[in-house]
């Protein structure tokens, strides 16, 4: 296998001052991409701002002989999104790669979420994907090449207590990316979603209150974290993220999970289902009820109901493949 490189490619990584985004930016630069390191530099709950977060990462890249520029605009505004993309265009004249990664958490019970906990979360996760994504897509379309990676979450795909706001924003990445992938296919642009899992400062925002939901607490307690711990650093996500935005990868319209060293495609699947009797008469509720089992049968597919179920299936897969004893 030849090395996967990014020579001559211009990449934007949002939220690259910390955690996952930082590892993406460092590795892109190490593989010779020219990188816009964007980060607003706020807290894990989205308060405050500082140019230092992006600047420190840029310094690290330059010290290692790479090329990068810092940008401290917010992804959560139209002006900020335009400015981030313009920084790439002004410096290097194009955008080849966008990793839309910036974000933060404001957890609370569904019934208690306030506008201050909903709006900024929707802005930074959902609207930012448009604010940065649209100008980046236009620049890619002009050159006939692009790789876009949106950041979703297992909390959205599978559900996580106390994160209705976050799951709503992250779940939207699925629909958005699917459409961008379809539209982009005419212009050499791919679009995918990554569901990362990493210990990062976002953990500090995870109030344990969600354990008040008995079913959820059970899933959390059943999750097999024991062997996963050593494989939960942000850098375990980096190879998958970077492969998905490389020229070598032409896969598009997909969702991919990274969980404790297990890399897996995730998809919404539909069962063969039950077909109502021939004719123009719709089935009754009772017919639906009596055929409900067939409607729900998914064969061999698994469908995690929480991110912690996914830990369990990741470890199960790892055991089957001899990775764990
Ligand atoms: P992190 O807090 O370490 O990094 C996120 C970065 O985004 C921070 O440096 C922050 O300053 C920046 N940011 C926040 N708001 C911004 C804004 N308006 N404009 C520009 N930058 C902004 O968190 P992380 O764990 O590395 O998370 C990265 C992404 O992955 C987030 O979208 C997060 O929701 C998602 N994610 C993380 C996990 C996980 O387990 N860590 C799981 C699923 C999804």
């Amino acid at each position: 296998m030849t090395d996967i490189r990014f020579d001559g490619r211009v990449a934007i990584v949002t939220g690259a001052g910390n955690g996952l985004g930082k590892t993406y930016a460092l590795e892109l630069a190490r593989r010779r991409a020219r990188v816009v390191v964007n980060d607003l530099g706020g807290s894990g709950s989205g308060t405050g701002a500082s140019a230092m977060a992006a600047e420190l990462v840029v310094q690290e890249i330059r010290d290692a002989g790479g090329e990068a520029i810092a940008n401290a605009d917010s992804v959560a505004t139209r002006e900020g999104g335009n400015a981030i993309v313009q920084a790439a265009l002004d410096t290097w004249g194009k955008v080849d790669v966008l990793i839309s990664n910036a974000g933060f958490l404001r957890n609370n019970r569904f019934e208690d979420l306030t506008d201050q906990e909903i709006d900024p979360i929707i802005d930074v996760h959902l609207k930012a994907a448009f604010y940065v994504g649209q100008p980046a897509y236009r620049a890619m379309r002009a050159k006939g090449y692009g790789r876009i990676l949106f950041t979703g979450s297992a909390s959205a795909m599978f559900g996580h207590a106390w994160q209705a706001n976050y799951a709503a924003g992250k779940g939207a990445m699925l629909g958005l990316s699917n459409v961008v992938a379809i539209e982009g296919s005419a212009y050499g642009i791919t679009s995918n979603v990554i569901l990362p899992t990493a210990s990062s400062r976002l953990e500090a925002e995870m109030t344990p209150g969600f354990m008040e939901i008995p079913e959820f607490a059970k899933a959390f307690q059943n999750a097999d974290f024991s062997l996963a711990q050593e494989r939960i650093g942000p850098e375990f996500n980096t190879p998958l993220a970077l492969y998905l935005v490389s020229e070598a990868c032409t896969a598009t319209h997909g969702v991919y999970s990274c969980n404790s060293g297990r890399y897996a495609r995730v998809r919404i699947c539909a069962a063969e289902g039950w077909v109502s009797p021939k004719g123009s008469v719709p089935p009754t509720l009772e017919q639906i009820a009596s055929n409900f089992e067939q409607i729900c049968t998914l064969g061999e597919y698994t469908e995690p109901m929480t991110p912690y179920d996914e830990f369990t299936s990741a470890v199960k897969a790892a055991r089957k493949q001899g990775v764990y004893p």
Side-chain angles (χ1 to χ4, degrees), residues 15 18 20 39-40 74-75 101 151-152 166 170 196 198 200-202:
N18 288 287
L20 292 157
D39 205 289
L40 182 62
S74 174
V75 298
N101 164 81
T151 305
Y166 179 71
K170 287 304 200 190
S200 76
R201 63 193 200 138
L202 285 192

Side-chain angles (χ1 to χ4, degrees), residues 10 87-95 139 143:
V10 174
L89 296 176
D90 289 347
T91 312
W92 295 303
K94 61 174 182 168
V95 179
K143 301 279 185 191

Side-chain angles (χ1 to χ4, degrees), residues 14-22 24 38-44 46 53 72-77 84 100-105 124-125 151-155 166 170 194-203 234:
T14 69
N18 288 287
L20 292 157
K22 180 178 173 181
Y24 301 158
N38 159 265
D39 205 289
L40 182 62
S43 72
D73 285 296
S74 174
V75 298
T77 66
I84 293 163
S100 179
N101 164 81
F104 55 84
L105 294 173
V124 81
H125 294 290
T151 305
S153 173
S155 295
Y166 179 71
K170 287 304 200 190
I194 187 168
L195 312 177
T197 307
S199 54
S200 76
R201 63 193 200 138
L202 285 192
E203 272 172 306

Side-chain angles (χ1 to χ4, degrees), residues 24-321:
Y24 301 158
L26 292 174
E27 186 62 12
L28 277 165
R30 204 180 68 76
R31 289 176 183 260
R32 311 315 302 170
R34 293 171 286 184
V35 186
V36 176
V37 176
N38 159 265
D39 205 289
L40 182 62
S43 72
S45 62
T47 54
S50 160
M52 281 300 285
E55 281 167 9
L56 285 172
V57 175
V58 167
Q59 198 52 54
E60 199 172 328
I61 289 172
R62 288 183 182 158
D63 288 348
E67 272 189 83
I69 57 166
N71 172 283
D73 285 296
S74 174
V75 298
T77 66
R78 175 67 75 189
E79 304 73 49
N82 286 338
I84 293 163
V85 174
Q86 200 56 48
L89 296 176
D90 289 347
T91 312
W92 295 303
K94 61 174 182 168
V95 179
D96 298 303
V97 170
L98 168 63
I99 304 184
S100 179
N101 164 81
F104 55 84
L105 294 173
R106 289 194 188 167
N107 291 357
N108 207 345
R109 287 184 197 86
F110 172 61
E111 68 271 29
D112 295 334
L113 282 166
T114 64
D115 286 350
Q116 289 67 44
E117 290 163 333
I118 297 170
D119 294 348
I121 289 293
I122 297 298
D123 287 350
V124 81
H125 294 290
L126 172 50
K127 287 175 132 182
F130 287 93
Y131 294 151
V132 188
Q134 287 179 300
Y137 181 98
R138 284 194 288 269
M140 290 171 182
R141 182 180 159 163
K143 301 279 185 191
Y145 178 86
R147 295 284 183 269
I148 299 178
L149 185 64
F150 293 108
T151 305
S153 173
S155 295
M157 292 298 289
F158 312 136
H160 194 297
W162 285 47
Q163 291 194 337
N165 53 350
Y166 179 71
K170 287 304 200 190
M173 294 305 105
L174 174 66
L176 171 59
S177 177
N178 285 346
V179 174
V180 172
I182 290 168
E183 295 185 13
S185 62
Y187 310 108
I189 300 171
T190 66
S191 180
N192 291 292
V193 176
I194 187 168
L195 312 177
T197 307
S199 54
S200 76
R201 63 193 200 138
L202 285 192
E203 272 172 306
E205 304 303 319
M206 297 288 280
T207 46
F210 57 69
M211 298 293 272
E212 71 180 19
I213 317 283
E215 277 308 301
F216 190 78
K218 203 163 83 190
F220 184 87
Q221 276 142 13
N222 286 347
D224 198 341
F225 293 119
S226 53
L227 291 161
Q229 282 310 315
E230 62 181 14
R231 296 153 73 91
I232 203 155
E235 57 283 355
F236 267 89
N237 299 266
T238 315
L240 175 63
L242 265 57
Y243 174 67
L244 290 170
V245 297
S246 70
E247 196 172 345
C249 177
T250 53
T252 189
H253 207 150
V255 178
Y256 299 89
S257 151
C258 172
N259 182 309
S260 58
R262 194 280 293 266
Y263 304 90
R265 184 169 172 216
V266 171
R267 64 182 174 134
I268 306 282
C269 49
E272 184 181 319
W274 169 75
V275 181
S276 62
K278 196 168 179 229
S280 56
V281 182
T284 61
L285 270 71
E286 290 74 19
Q287 281 176 297
I288 295 291
S290 17
N291 290 286
F292 202 62
E293 200 177 321
Q294 193 177 335
I295 289 168
C296 296
T297 300
L298 278 167
E300 286 178 23
Y301 293 113
T302 63
E303 191 183 10
M305 299 310 292
T306 72
Y308 306 111
D309 291 343
E310 204 195 5
F311 271 101
T312 303
S313 50
V315 168
K316 194 172 164 194
R319 286 213 169 96
K320 196 172 160 199
Q321 291 168 35

